[in-house]
């Protein structure tokens, strides 16, 4: 089966960065393995260069919580589609990523989420003498598969998902 990228529409709107009506946004439908139909939103401001992207499941659903217990490499390799409105929590690592107005949606793996978190830790925390180094060490242990944790995604529109071969994903409706 050949995947098709279909342009659903485009519009010029007010830029979130410079405030001018110069942000061209295009919305595409695309069928991908495991997730089915997804929406890809891509925008760029012709004035200031601001970029906005989003990826989400095509169908809006009920608010849901997705829970994945990560205990081995197979869970680290699970695919994650995180919409721009989704919150991510990893309680064992003290991580909470809340969406903001310019938050992106993306497709990655569980390991990719850990790398994204590591990319946002201040550089001084990579110094072993610094108190916050423990957070870096914990994240690296999780990336290497040496620390078990729980990935929780809460999406108010139900447009996120986690899929993987032989992984147990729990989805529950948020009330």
């Amino acid at each position: 089966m050949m995947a098709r990228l279909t342009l659903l529409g485009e519009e010029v709107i007010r830029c979130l960065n410079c405030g001018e009506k110069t942000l061209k946004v295009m919305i595409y439908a695309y069928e991908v393995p495991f997730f089915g139909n997804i929406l890809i939103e891509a925008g760029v401001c012709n004035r200031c260069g601001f970029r906005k992207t989003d990826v989400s499941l095509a169908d809006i659903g009920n608010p849901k919580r997705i829970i994945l217990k990560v205990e081995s490499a197979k869970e680290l390799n699970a695919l994650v589609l995180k919409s721009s409105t989704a919150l991510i929590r990893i309680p064992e690592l003290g991580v909470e990523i809340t969406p903001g107005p310019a938050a992106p949606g993306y497709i990655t793996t569980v390991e990719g989420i850990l790398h994204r978190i590591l990319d946002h830790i201040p550089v001084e925390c990579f110094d072993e003498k610094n108190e916050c180094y423990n957070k870096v060490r914990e994240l690296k242990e999780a990336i290497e598969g040496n620390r078990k944790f729980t990935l929780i995604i809460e999406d108010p529109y139900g447009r996120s998902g986690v899929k993987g071969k032989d992984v147990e994903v729990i989805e529950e409706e948020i009330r």
Side-chain angles (χ1 to χ4, degrees), residues 9-168:
E10 58 183 74
E11 185 176 357
V12 177
I13 62 172
R14 190 165 309 286
C15 178
L16 298 170
N17 187 53
C18 71
E20 297 296 319
K21 192 171 180 177
T22 52
L23 180 67
K24 183 178 180 181
V25 178
M26 294 165 289
I27 299 175
Y28 298 91
Y30 189 64
E31 187 172 334
V32 297
F34 302 111
F35 291 109
N37 289 322
I38 64 169
L39 295 177
I40 301 171
E41 179 184 327
V44 64
C45 179
N46 294 328
R47 182 171 182 271
C48 70
F50 174 78
R51 294 183 180 277
K52 169 84 172 110
T53 59
D54 192 13
V55 177
S56 64
L57 296 174
D59 297 323
I60 293 179
N62 294 324
K64 70 178 172 181
R65 179 178 297 114
I66 303 164
I67 302 167
L68 175 66
K69 296 210 178 283
V70 180
E71 298 179 345
S72 69
K74 74 179 176 186
E75 288 91 9
L76 284 171
N77 292 324
L79 285 175
V80 176
L81 188 151
K82 181 230 166 266
S83 77
S84 62
T85 57
L87 172 138
I88 293 177
R89 284 189 289 126
I90 304 175
E92 298 86 347
L93 299 175
V95 170
E96 183 169 297
I97 303 167
T98 56
Y106 50 83
I107 298 176
T108 188
T109 61
V110 173
E111 180 182 347
I113 288 175
L114 295 173
H115 281 287
R116 283 174 177 261
I117 295 166
L118 204 54
D119 288 346
H120 286 88
I121 290 185
V123 69
E124 60 268 13
C125 292
F126 288 83
D127 180 351
E128 291 181 16
K129 296 174 189 153
N130 198 310
E131 258 184 58
C132 58
Y133 178 75
N134 281 338
K135 186 63 64 190
V136 171
R137 184 181 47 76
E138 290 173 356
L139 281 164
K140 286 182 176 180
E141 287 174 359
I143 288 169
E144 293 164 1
N146 297 323
R147 180 177 284 268
K148 295 178 182 182
F149 62 92
T150 308
L151 174 70
I152 302 168
I153 300 173
E154 294 182 357
D155 191 328
Y157 300 107
R159 297 178 75 184
S160 297
V162 176
K163 305 284 184 188
K165 186 176 180 179
D166 299 325
V167 297
E168 185 180 335

